[in-house]
Amino acid sequence: MKKLLAVTMALAMSAAALAAFAACAPAENDNTGNNGGGNGGGGNAQPDPPVYTVYAPDGAPALALANAIDKSTYGDFEFHIVASSTITAQVTGEDSAADFCVLPVNAAAKLLGSGETYQMLGTVTNGNMYFLTTGDNASLTTDNLDVLVGKTVGVVQLSNVPGLTFQTVLKANDLDYQILSSEVLDSDDMVNLQPIQDAATGVTPAGGCDYYLCPEPAASAKIKGTAASANPFKLAGSLQNLYGDGTGYPQAVLVAKTSVIEDTYGAAMVEEMIGYMEGSAQFLAEAEASEVVALLEDKYTEGMTPSLNANNLTSEVIANCSVRFTPAQECKERVNAFLAELIAISPDFTSAVDDAFYYAP
């Protein structure tokens, strides 16, 4: 009888211990916003907050992430810098990879312009294209663009946003132009545009063009690399200064998934990301170039060779990349006008967007 009583007491004590352990153990996250516990189960642990993916293409748009990478210390965001040719893949498909994404404005408009799956939070870069020339050729301003008549301008990305923007500038200044090819030869009565596929190999003092329109950081690298030659490059103007009111053009924009915007926690993260973007210009103006390189270096897709590195990124190059955030509701008229100009030059290049495309807090 005493032995039976002892066994009963031991079992009771073991059951009590197991119950206490179960009450104290964290419940498993079931990804539904609940952490188990059942009805009256007593589970008090909270699910881990989601981590939001942020994508940007290599080059100037990647600089726009630097402040966010530096400031977001709580693991709310996961940053990725990918090849420019793959950036649109991050916002397409049923389960697109990017919660937030920096995209060229034309691609964002064409793919996402309905506002159904993504909305534009604002513009983040405003042009990084500069003219190079040699010898006694004049620097280009809005007052002397007619000096280009009869000249040849080699244009990197002629069929993309930079080249089409330059064409809108020529059109706005009533300057006739033509695009050279094997069948279209130089004219003394027009501005002659020569497509350049690759700045690294196609932009040279001996390349046969009077001017070149070249992106940063390649433009600064070309000036530095030819400084000791007999016919060095010199800076000859900025496309940003020639376009519109001289403050640049909406080159790249930041979008966010509509599902993130409509979620209560996600909406707070959208505002947090906007705050980081609003601080980007000041952060980049004050940061050392080496600090920016260090912030970005482990965010690149494995195997990529970044276009921005310790050898070519300087404070001047950073400034020339025109990273400046403007919220969607403040820039939507400017973006709409720019898209209309691009469509007038190349109708299939991009699309007009619905008002729902523009994020409204």
Side-chain angles (χ1 to χ4, degrees):
M1 186 70 176
K2 290 182 180 180
K3 182 175 181 181
L4 177 62
L5 180 60
V7 170
T8 302
M9 291 179 65
L11 290 172
M13 291 175 65
S14 297
L18 287 171
F21 177 81
C24 294
E28 183 176 354
N29 188 347
D30 61 5
N31 294 321
T32 64
N34 298 315
N35 280 86
N39 293 328
N44 295 319
Q46 296 298 314
D48 291 335
V51 176
Y52 296 97
T53 55
V54 187
Y55 283 80
D58 184 31
L63 292 175
L65 299 185
N67 186 52
I69 294 170
D70 182 65
K71 300 294 191 301
S72 59
T73 57
Y74 298 106
D76 294 320
F77 301 101
E78 182 181 87
F79 297 92
H80 303 271
I81 302 172
V82 300
S84 299
S85 60
T86 68
I87 191 62
T88 57
Q90 314 309 322
V91 295
T92 54
E94 290 186 8
D95 189 21
S96 49
D99 295 313
F100 297 83
C101 192
V102 179
L103 288 165
V105 65
N106 64 295
K110 192 164 188 174
L111 294 172
L112 313 172
S114 69
E116 293 179 6
T117 56
Y118 286 84
Q119 292 178 18
M120 187 188 109
L121 304 184
T123 54
V124 296
T125 64
N126 302 271
N128 66 326
M129 302 297 293
Y130 293 85
F131 292 95
L132 304 179
T133 193
T134 59
D136 296 328
N137 288 326
S139 291
L140 302 174
T141 70
T142 53
D143 296 326
N144 72 349
L145 269 183
D146 56 354
V147 303
L148 291 178
V149 176
K151 303 286 188 181
T152 300
V153 184
V155 182
V156 179
Q157 299 184 51
L158 178 59
S159 60
N160 213 317
V161 171
L164 296 182
T165 303
F166 182 39
Q167 292 175 59
T168 71
V169 168
L170 295 174
K171 185 177 179 181
N173 286 271
D174 298 319
L175 295 174
D176 293 331
Y177 65 90
Q178 63 176 2
I179 297 174
L180 300 179
S181 68
S182 59
E183 299 176 351
V184 179
L185 304 180
D186 288 18
S187 168
D188 292 335
D189 301 320
M190 296 184 180
V191 181
N192 301 288
L193 305 182
Q194 176 65 55
I196 301 293
Q197 296 302 317
D198 180 31
T201 58
V203 178
T204 70
C209 295
D210 301 290
Y211 291 87
Y212 289 93
L213 183 58
C214 183
E216 284 286 30
S220 290
K222 293 293 180 181
I223 293 172
K224 181 180 178 181
T226 61
S229 70
N231 193 31
F233 273 131
K234 65 179 181 179
L235 183 65
S238 158
L239 180 60
Q240 294 69 245
N241 290 342
L242 297 179
Y243 176 80
D245 63 1
T247 60
Y249 53 92
Q251 180 185 35
V253 301
L254 175 67
V255 300
K257 271 185 179 176
T258 305
S259 58
V260 173
I261 292 170
E262 293 175 347
D263 174 75
T264 301
Y265 186 83
M269 293 299 98
V270 167
E271 290 301 314
E272 184 172 327
M273 178 58 68
I274 288 174
Y276 294 144
M277 290 295 157
E278 289 176 333
S280 291
Q282 181 176 350
F283 175 81
L284 291 171
E286 296 173 352
E288 295 289 337
S290 58
E291 179 184 359
V292 176
V293 169
L295 286 169
L296 301 181
E297 64 183 354
D298 65 344
K299 309 305 179 186
Y300 291 92
T301 300
E302 186 176 355
M304 274 184 65
T305 300
S307 65
L308 305 174
N309 55 61
N311 294 324
N312 64 20
L313 192 64
T314 64
S315 56
E316 182 180 17
V317 168
I318 291 173
N320 287 347
C321 287
S322 305
V323 176
R324 184 178 66 254
F325 183 79
T326 304
Q329 292 301 314
E330 294 180 21
C331 68
K332 68 178 182 178
E333 291 184 6
R334 179 170 174 250
V335 171
N336 284 338
F338 184 61
L339 292 173
E341 290 177 318
L342 296 181
I343 292 168
I345 299 293
S346 181
D348 296 328
F349 181 67
T350 188
S351 303
V353 300
D354 295 338
D355 197 56
F357 176 63
Y358 298 105
Y359 170 71

